[in-house]
Amino acid sequence: MPLKKKIKIGFLGMGTVAQGVWKHLDKNRREMSSRFGIDYELSRVGVRDLSKKRDVKIPPSKMTGDLYEVVNDPSIDIVCELMGGTGLAFEMTIAALKRGKIVVSANKAVICERGAEIFETARKFGGAYFFEASVAGGIPVIKILREGLVANRFPLIYGILNGTCNYILTRMERENASFETILSDARRLGYVEADESLDIDGFDAAHKISILTYLAHGAWVRTKDMLISGIRGIQLEDMLFARDFDCKIKLIASVRKNEKTNAIFASVYPALLPLTDVVANVNEVYNAVSLTGDVVGHTVYIGRGAGQDATASAVIADIADAIRYKQGAPMRPPASELGSDVRLAHLDEISARFYLRLEVKDAAGVLAKIAAILARQNISIALLRQYKHETPGRAWLVLTTHETTESDIKNACAELKKSSVVKGSAFVLRIFSSVK
Amino acid sequence: MPLKKKIKIGFLGMGTVAQGVWKHLDKNRREMSSRFGIDYELSRVGVRDLSKKRDVKIPPSKMTGDLYEVVNDPSIDIVCELMGGTGLAFEMTIAALKRGKIVVSANKAVICERGAEIFETARKFGGAYFFEASVAGGIPVIKILREGLVANRFPLIYGILNGTCNYILTRMERENASFETILSDARRLGYVEADESLDIDGFDAAHKISILTYLAHGAWVRTKDMLISGIRGIQLEDMLFARDFDCKIKLIASVRKNEKTNAIFASVYPALLPLTDVVANVNEVYNAVSLTGDVVGHTVYIGRGAGQDATASAVIADIADAIRYKQGAPMRPPASELGSDVRLAHLDEISARFYLRLEVKDAAGVLAKIAAILARQNISIALLRQYKHETPGRAWLVLTTHETTESDIKNACAELKKSSVVKGSAFVLRIFSSVK
């Protein structure tokens, strides 16, 4: 490929992240060019709404309301798709790749839903697709996983992949405040996505662990095949009780692979994490990703998981790699060639230690009844604590179990619900262990 | 460059790390080839002592006692220099690079001492030099810094870069044991380098921060221009006192750059690190590197800093990149082009908060005298605690200062030494802050 003197970069979308990318590339042109090894031009910006007010100053001549003007411009080498969504963003990505362009994206949703098609189109038309910013914001975890740890298989990947949930849990814990109070605050501060459920109910984290699962194991796991639960239902009491077990509660996204059975299990759930785990001490909007490799051992990566600048840092790293691809660097072999033989784990193959919070009658014999229910499901109690309840005649019974399968705990909860000594349902959390 | 069907890899040295690399590349050939995108052959191993017993089985026909048989073999594409040292290792590295080969190395000492010559030779003869394993073992920090965070300048880099010192400090703290006791144990376990001073006195960490300084700022800082102190002299009391200040003592290597004055300051010293800093919770032989980028913000990377497998993971990642270079990927622009305008900071430009432990007479008026000495050097006391001393009539006076320059503290210590109320010298530690 003949070397060009200048790389031309186009944008689809000019929201928060895109403005961050524009700002840094525009402001530090000399330094960035010397790091890229080539000069560049920010040549064309396609947006849906030209009239929208934006903080960065872009010459009006570079702006267009017709996205196709960006992807059809033969002089543009790299297209940054930072518009989000899975409809138009997918259409424009495919259109750009079909013209042999390199696409850089932060769009985790479109990768999860249409990643296989996107990668295949890139391959077929000699383009390329980079997506570092889609997982864990500024932490270059995709590069670390694929390149820095290329020698490794990954029996366990886990971490805090949603900054909003981590922010809420951190403030609940620090301020002894309820979930609802902090959530309203987070809404006011603009920390929660428009579709709130994406953050709070774990789907955003699920998209991200799905991408890491694909990269590590070569298989796409759909959100419908994951165990996903968010942070609703966590009460302030749980934060306090967790402390008595030397743990913190974090929303943990994880994927485990059993090397013997080739079964993989991806999930997102709030879990008790022992304070000795460095990830338990990652607070506020920070993300943490732990990659356990069969060669390198246990590693952890921490940084801001979102925000204009952190995400722009990842997009710019992708632009640097896109330039190298343009200059002749071969693409890494696709992850899909790695692990065609993996399969999804069944619920009865998956075990964990559990935390159960039960609202019970404060009466003699209650404990015996609950112990009997658990025993019938082969669940062994590790530790049990009783706490005062604000309602007279009631108590909180909090217990942790030894290793138990997901199916056994499910059955036990169904039975507990029917029991006359338990009010409502048991609130269940998993106890996450990185060493089992 | 025409694409070869198979990449040939040669070895210089077959010690612990090289055996790890051999083991993983030999055992997982099919999987590694698919990740590399090309098949490979482990073709030739040059060692100084053929008779040495080694754990991996290498066909005798591949072994040679003549190192030049490896670097002169025209069929070999990549040479792994894993022999260590700065004499013969340098000679063989240059010889290999002059023949256009790619050299992969874990040799931090030779990079610090002769890095400029090595990089220049690689450039001149169209070869390349990769050295991920030289800093922080299995953590791919060089790739993260140069590629994943390419958008950033680095006002602050710091971390735990010597696993042996971290192991000793962790055990002192956990077991309430003295430095000498744990050091003997570490020696017995083979955790300490043959030249013990490299680990204990901070020179190994200094080599590593020197490499990171070059990569971040484009300038070589010699160890003679660094402030280097090791962990000798840390008493068990210091660990206990530090706890009262909500800190842990860690050997911290760091480099700060003042963006206004372009002054850089690289150093290695034991420091009090607040427990709220995630690096303070990194224990045993683990390393942690924190990179603060002007775009990405604060990030931290944690993993094993040494050991056969973790280091092999980094060497294999370099081999993967070496293969891509061989297949046409351009080299990243050298760091030397980044920052020709940086300069070394003077001692009176550098300030920190300090911890002083003084053995004093347990008598009235002592505190006034000490406060007067500090006041004369414009040192303001932040917190002061007095502890019982095992010798009757004496006390431990422990104090922390507000922000103070290195020169002021140096002068104060000289005066304290002369004072009749202080026994011996003040023991000084810095209080490390990542936020100032």
Side-chain angles (χ1 to χ4, degrees):
Chain A
M1 220 174 297
L3 296 188
K4 295 181 60 167
K5 290 240 173 68
K6 207 174 207 178
I7 289 284
K8 290 202 177 188
I9 303 170
F11 290 81
L12 296 170
M14 193 40 73
T16 308
V17 172
Q19 290 183 54
V21 175
W22 182 284
K23 178 178 74 181
H24 293 290
L25 289 182
D26 192 44
K27 190 176 68 181
N28 299 323
R29 175 177 309 274
R30 225 187 95 232
E31 195 168 335
M32 291 289 182
S33 297
S34 96
R35 291 190 213 153
F36 291 167
I38 191 168
D39 197 9
Y40 56 85
E41 185 185 327
L42 304 176
S43 69
R44 205 112 180 83
V45 178
V47 294
R48 278 165 290 191
D49 180 0
L50 276 170
S51 66
K52 213 168 173 179
K53 229 189 106 48
R54 296 176 172 92
D55 289 335
V56 294
K57 289 217 186 318
I58 300 172
S61 62
K62 299 203 168 191
M63 301 284 292
T64 171
D66 178 3
L67 301 176
Y68 275 99
E69 276 193 32
V70 177
V71 299
N72 283 337
D73 183 337
S75 76
I76 290 178
D77 305 289
I78 299 169
V79 174
C80 299
E81 185 275 286
L82 299 167
M83 54 199 289
T86 56
L88 196 52
F90 175 73
E91 183 191 326
M92 301 313 298
T93 296
I94 294 294
L97 291 173
K98 281 192 171 163
R99 285 155 186 78
K101 296 193 189 304
I102 307 170
V103 177
V104 169
S105 168
N107 190 334
K108 51 201 171 284
V110 82
I111 299 166
C112 283
E113 284 188 21
R114 319 289 294 263
E117 290 160 86
I118 291 173
F119 300 155
E120 176 57 20
T121 307
R123 198 199 53 72
K124 201 163 145 193
F125 291 88
Y129 188 77
F130 293 90
F131 50 103
E132 182 66 73
S134 66
V135 182
I139 309 172
V141 64
I142 291 178
K143 183 176 277 284
I144 291 167
L145 193 159
R146 284 210 289 196
E147 304 179 21
L149 303 183
V150 65
N152 294 265
R153 288 179 197 153
F154 298 97
L156 174 61
I157 296 174
Y158 73 99
I160 298 169
L161 294 180
N162 182 278
T164 305
C165 287
N166 206 31
Y167 173 83
I168 293 174
L169 293 174
T170 303
R171 282 197 55 195
M172 282 175 70
E173 202 213 340
R174 285 194 185 153
E175 300 167 29
N176 282 349
S178 73
F179 172 74
E180 288 74 19
T181 310
I182 304 294
L183 177 60
S184 324
D185 239 37
R187 279 190 199 121
R188 229 187 348 260
L189 290 162
Y191 281 12
V192 187
E193 294 211 36
D195 179 356
E196 196 166 287
S197 172
L198 276 176
D199 284 325
I200 304 303
D201 295 320
F203 293 102
D204 171 78
H207 286 150
K208 292 165 179 171
I209 199 71
S210 160
I211 294 175
L212 294 182
T213 301
Y214 170 71
L215 294 173
H217 305 300
W220 287 105
V221 179
R222 304 289 153 197
T223 48
K224 70 172 175 53
D225 294 318
M226 290 185 195
L227 190 155
I228 301 176
S229 69
I231 63 171
R232 289 186 217 270
I234 295 178
Q235 298 196 4
L236 184 53
E237 280 85 356
D238 296 310
M239 309 300 265
L240 304 174
F241 300 161
R243 237 178 268 172
D244 285 343
F245 293 101
D246 291 321
C247 287
K248 278 204 191 182
I249 298 177
K250 296 288 183 187
L251 184 71
I252 299 294
S254 68
V255 56
R256 286 183 197 270
K257 183 179 175 206
N258 184 322
E259 285 294 335
K260 282 179 207 140
T261 64
N262 267 335
I264 56 174
F265 178 57
S267 56
V268 178
Y269 50 69
L272 274 73
L273 205 58
L275 287 175
T276 49
D277 187 324
V278 91
V279 175
N281 301 300
V282 173
N283 294 314
E284 298 169 23
V285 296
Y286 279 83
N287 281 14
V289 190
S290 170
L291 305 176
T292 298
D294 63 340
V295 180
V296 75
H298 190 61
T299 64
V300 184
Y301 310 93
I302 301 165
R304 282 174 205 279
Q308 184 179 60
D309 290 331
T311 313
S313 175
V315 172
I316 294 171
D318 272 352
I319 291 175
D321 278 358
I323 290 171
R324 291 164 52 72
Y325 175 73
K326 191 81 193 167
Q327 293 173 334
M331 280 308 285
R332 309 243 161 204
S336 54
E337 286 177 11
L338 293 181
S340 46
D341 52 351
V342 297
R343 64 172 178 83
L344 298 181
H346 306 296
L347 270 195
D348 51 10
E349 286 178 285
I350 307 150
S351 62
R353 292 178 56 221
F354 290 86
Y355 158 103
L356 273 74
R357 168 169 52 80
L358 303 164
E359 193 177 335
V360 297
K361 278 190 192 157
D362 192 6
V366 165
L367 184 54
K369 282 185 185 166
I370 289 169
I373 292 174
L374 295 176
R376 273 201 295 280
Q377 301 298 336
N378 302 310
I379 295 172
S380 148
I381 295 172
L383 206 66
L384 185 144
R385 283 203 172 99
Q386 199 157 322
Y387 294 90
K388 281 200 176 151
H389 196 288
E390 48 177 19
T391 312
R394 296 209 188 152
W396 286 121
L397 198 70
V398 175
L399 59 87
T400 61
T401 73
H402 285 127
E403 200 83 6
T404 300
T405 66
E406 292 279 344
S407 7
D408 284 344
I409 208 83
K410 211 171 157 183
N411 295 337
C413 286
E415 282 216 47
L416 287 169
K417 199 173 176 177
K418 283 185 270 172
S419 160
S420 61
V421 299
V422 177
K423 305 279 165 194
S425 301
F427 182 70
V428 179
L429 293 172
R430 286 154 192 85
I431 301 172
F432 193 87
S433 167
S434 62
V435 288
K436 74 155 189 178
Chain B
M1 221 171 297
L3 296 188
K4 296 180 57 166
K5 290 239 173 70
K6 206 174 210 180
I7 289 284
K8 289 202 178 187
I9 303 170
F11 289 81
L12 296 170
M14 195 38 75
T16 308
V17 172
Q19 290 183 55
V21 175
W22 182 284
K23 179 178 73 181
H24 292 291
L25 290 182
D26 193 45
K27 190 174 67 179
N28 298 324
R29 175 176 309 273
R30 225 187 95 232
E31 196 169 335
M32 291 288 182
S33 298
S34 97
R35 292 190 212 153
F36 291 167
I38 192 168
D39 196 9
Y40 56 85
E41 184 185 327
L42 304 177
S43 70
R44 205 112 179 85
V45 178
V47 294
R48 277 166 289 191
D49 181 0
L50 277 170
S51 67
K52 214 167 172 179
K53 228 187 108 44
R54 295 173 173 93
D55 288 336
V56 295
K57 288 219 185 322
I58 300 172
S61 63
K62 298 203 169 190
M63 301 284 291
T64 169
D66 178 3
L67 301 175
Y68 274 98
E69 276 191 32
V70 177
V71 299
N72 282 338
D73 183 338
S75 76
I76 289 178
D77 306 288
I78 298 170
V79 173
C80 298
E81 185 274 287
L82 298 167
M83 54 198 291
T86 56
L88 195 53
F90 176 74
E91 182 191 327
M92 301 313 298
T93 296
I94 294 295
L97 292 172
K98 282 194 172 162
R99 285 156 186 80
K101 295 191 190 305
I102 307 172
V103 177
V104 170
S105 168
N107 190 334
K108 53 202 169 282
V110 82
I111 300 167
C112 283
E113 284 188 22
R114 319 291 294 264
E117 291 160 85
I118 290 172
F119 300 155
E120 176 56 21
T121 307
R123 199 199 51 73
K124 202 163 145 193
F125 291 89
Y129 187 77
F130 293 90
F131 49 103
E132 182 65 72
S134 66
V135 182
I139 310 171
V141 65
I142 291 179
K143 182 176 277 285
I144 292 167
L145 193 159
R146 286 209 288 195
E147 304 179 22
L149 302 182
V150 66
N152 294 266
R153 290 178 197 153
F154 298 96
L156 175 61
I157 296 174
Y158 73 99
I160 297 169
L161 294 180
N162 183 278
T164 305
C165 287
N166 206 32
Y167 174 82
I168 292 173
L169 293 173
T170 303
R171 283 198 54 195
M172 282 175 70
E173 203 212 338
R174 285 193 184 154
E175 300 167 27
N176 283 348
S178 74
F179 172 74
E180 288 74 19
T181 310
I182 305 295
L183 177 60
S184 325
D185 239 36
R187 277 189 200 124
R188 227 186 350 258
L189 291 162
Y191 281 11
V192 187
E193 293 212 35
D195 179 358
E196 197 166 288
S197 172
L198 276 175
D199 284 325
I200 304 304
D201 295 319
F203 292 101
D204 171 77
H207 286 151
K208 292 165 178 169
I209 199 71
S210 161
I211 294 174
L212 294 181
T213 302
Y214 170 72
L215 294 173
H217 305 300
W220 287 106
V221 180
R222 304 289 152 197
T223 49
K224 72 173 175 52
D225 294 319
M226 290 184 194
L227 190 155
I228 302 174
S229 67
I231 62 170
R232 287 185 219 271
I234 295 178
Q235 298 195 4
L236 184 53
E237 280 85 355
D238 295 309
M239 310 299 265
L240 303 174
F241 299 161
R243 238 178 267 173
D244 285 344
F245 292 100
D246 292 321
C247 287
K248 278 204 192 183
I249 298 177
K250 295 288 184 188
L251 184 73
I252 298 295
S254 68
V255 57
R256 284 184 199 270
K257 183 180 176 204
N258 184 324
E259 285 294 337
K260 282 178 207 142
T261 64
N262 267 336
I264 55 173
F265 178 57
S267 55
V268 177
Y269 49 71
L272 273 73
L273 205 59
L275 287 175
T276 49
D277 187 325
V278 89
V279 175
N281 301 300
V282 173
N283 294 314
E284 298 169 22
V285 297
Y286 279 84
N287 281 15
V289 190
S290 169
L291 305 176
T292 299
D294 63 339
V295 179
V296 75
H298 190 61
T299 64
V300 184
Y301 310 93
I302 300 166
R304 282 174 205 278
Q308 184 178 60
D309 290 330
T311 313
S313 175
V315 171
I316 293 171
D318 272 352
I319 291 174
D321 278 357
I323 290 171
R324 288 164 54 75
Y325 175 74
K326 191 83 194 166
Q327 293 173 334
M331 279 310 284
R332 310 246 159 200
S336 55
E337 285 177 12
L338 294 180
S340 47
D341 53 351
V342 298
R343 64 171 178 84
L344 297 182
H346 305 296
L347 271 195
D348 51 10
E349 286 178 286
I350 308 149
S351 63
R353 291 178 56 220
F354 289 85
Y355 158 103
L356 273 73
R357 168 171 49 82
L358 303 164
E359 192 176 337
V360 296
K361 277 190 195 160
D362 192 5
V366 166
L367 184 53
K369 281 186 186 165
I370 289 169
I373 291 175
L374 295 176
R376 273 202 294 280
Q377 302 298 334
N378 302 310
I379 296 172
S380 147
I381 296 172
L383 206 65
L384 186 144
R385 282 205 173 98
Q386 199 159 321
Y387 294 91
K388 281 204 176 148
H389 196 287
E390 48 176 20
T391 312
R394 298 211 187 149
W396 287 120
L397 198 69
V398 175
L399 58 89
T400 62
T401 73
H402 286 127
E403 200 81 8
T404 300
T405 65
E406 292 279 345
S407 6
D408 284 345
I409 209 81
K410 211 171 157 183
N411 296 337
C413 286
E415 282 216 47
L416 286 169
K417 200 174 177 176
K418 283 186 269 172
S419 159
S420 61
V421 299
V422 178
K423 304 279 164 195
S425 302
F427 182 69
V428 179
L429 293 173
R430 286 154 193 85
I431 301 172
F432 194 87
S433 167
S434 61
V435 290
K436 73 155 190 180

